[in-house]
Amino acid sequence: MTKSELINRLAERFPQLGAKDADYAVKVLLDALSAALVSGDRIEVRGFGSFSLNYRPPRIGRNPKSGEKVNVPEKYVPHFKAGKELRERVDLGLTKP
Amino acid sequence: MTLTKSELADLLFEKVGLNKREAKDMVEAFFDEVKSALEEGDDVKLSGFCNFQLRDKPQRPGRNPKTGEEIPITARRVVTFHASQKLKMAVEEFRRGNTQ
């Protein structure tokens, strides 16, 4: 399912809103999720999961071509942990046809 | 700080002009549609934010860490999250600008 398919499904579920509002609503939601992570906030959605940042300490890496040592600075990467309901529903999908 | 469904609903109320009821239902529906797609075995690609991919894991041997007893970890399907390049860059750039 792509973003535009998600928008279509939501537009069908909210016929009173029209496609433009469904489109804008998805944009507002995704922008808010991104903005929260960018400023280091956690996101918690019961039954779905939580998003947070994971810290990666600085390390000495190597350029695989030249073998030269390079300093890789510390960084933060987005992380997602599926909630209980999502985990269970996804796993059920394995046994369904 | 933690972002939750109620703040997301407030944003839909303020920015999209949905009424409070619709805003709450829309947030619920948004996550529900993603869950349903994943449950049906369909990967989800939210361009600019992330991809959710499904992986089927075979059964593997495991152990009860308390008793040391060997028990198989059953075959299962799990969701993996991949942040988009855009999101990763935005996080890194912001963090770099705000180094402690």
Side-chain angles (χ1 to χ4, degrees), chain A residues 52-59 71-78, chain B residues 85 87-96 99-100:
Chain A
S52 57
L53 296 183
N54 273 355
Y55 177 67
R56 297 276 184 272
R59 61 188 175 85
N71 285 316
V72 182
E74 63 168 5
K75 65 174 178 177
Y76 287 86
V77 292
Chain B
Q85 206 54 37
L87 177 60
K88 283 192 222 167
M89 294 301 289
V91 165
E92 273 190 57
E93 268 162 39
F94 182 84
R95 295 281 116 189
R96 202 168 301 137
T99 35
Q100 310 79 332

Side-chain angles (χ1 to χ4, degrees), chain A residues 53-87:
Chain A
L53 296 183
N54 273 355
Y55 177 67
R56 297 276 184 272
R59 61 188 175 85
I60 296 162
R62 274 180 194 279
N63 179 330
K65 273 208 187 111
S66 60
E68 204 182 334
K69 284 186 183 173
V70 278
N71 285 316
V72 182
E74 63 168 5
K75 65 174 178 177
Y76 287 86
V77 292
H79 172 79
F80 174 72
K81 185 169 190 293
K84 187 164 184 279
E85 190 203 335
L86 178 60
R87 238 185 304 129

Side-chain angles (χ1 to χ4, degrees), chain A residues 8-24:
Chain A
N8 289 342
R9 290 179 198 189
L10 291 172
E12 277 173 30
R13 276 173 80 157
F14 296 83
Q16 77 280 19
L17 293 184
K20 249 177 77 184
D21 278 351
D23 184 275
Y24 189 42

Side-chain angles (χ1 to χ4, degrees), chain B residues 74-90:
Chain B
T74 53
R76 62 193 61 200
R77 177 173 287 171
V78 298
V79 193
T80 60
F81 165 84
H82 301 274
S84 72
Q85 206 54 37
K86 188 181 160 196
L87 177 60
K88 283 192 222 167
M89 294 301 289

Side-chain angles (χ1 to χ4, degrees), chain A residues 25 28-29 32, chain B residues 3-28 31:
Chain A
V28 166
L29 292 176
Chain B
L3 181 66
T4 64
K5 284 196 277 199
S6 80
E7 280 97 16
L8 291 170
D10 290 346
L11 281 170
L12 293 181
F13 171 74
E14 288 161 24
K15 293 195 171 179
V16 188
L18 306 189
N19 69 41
K20 296 263 183 184
R21 175 87 242 165
E22 285 168 339
K24 190 167 173 281
D25 292 347
M26 177 61 83
V27 172
E28 213 56 63
F31 291 106

Side-chain angles (χ1 to χ4, degrees), chain A residues 12-51:
Chain A
E12 277 173 30
R13 276 173 80 157
F14 296 83
Q16 77 280 19
L17 293 184
K20 249 177 77 184
D21 278 351
D23 184 275
Y24 189 42
V26 167
K27 183 182 176 347
V28 166
L29 292 176
L30 292 177
D31 284 352
L33 296 175
S34 295
L37 286 174
V38 167
S39 51
D41 290 337
R42 281 176 61 79
I43 304 162
E44 285 182 10
V45 182
R46 168 81 40 106
F48 186 77
S50 58
F51 300 86

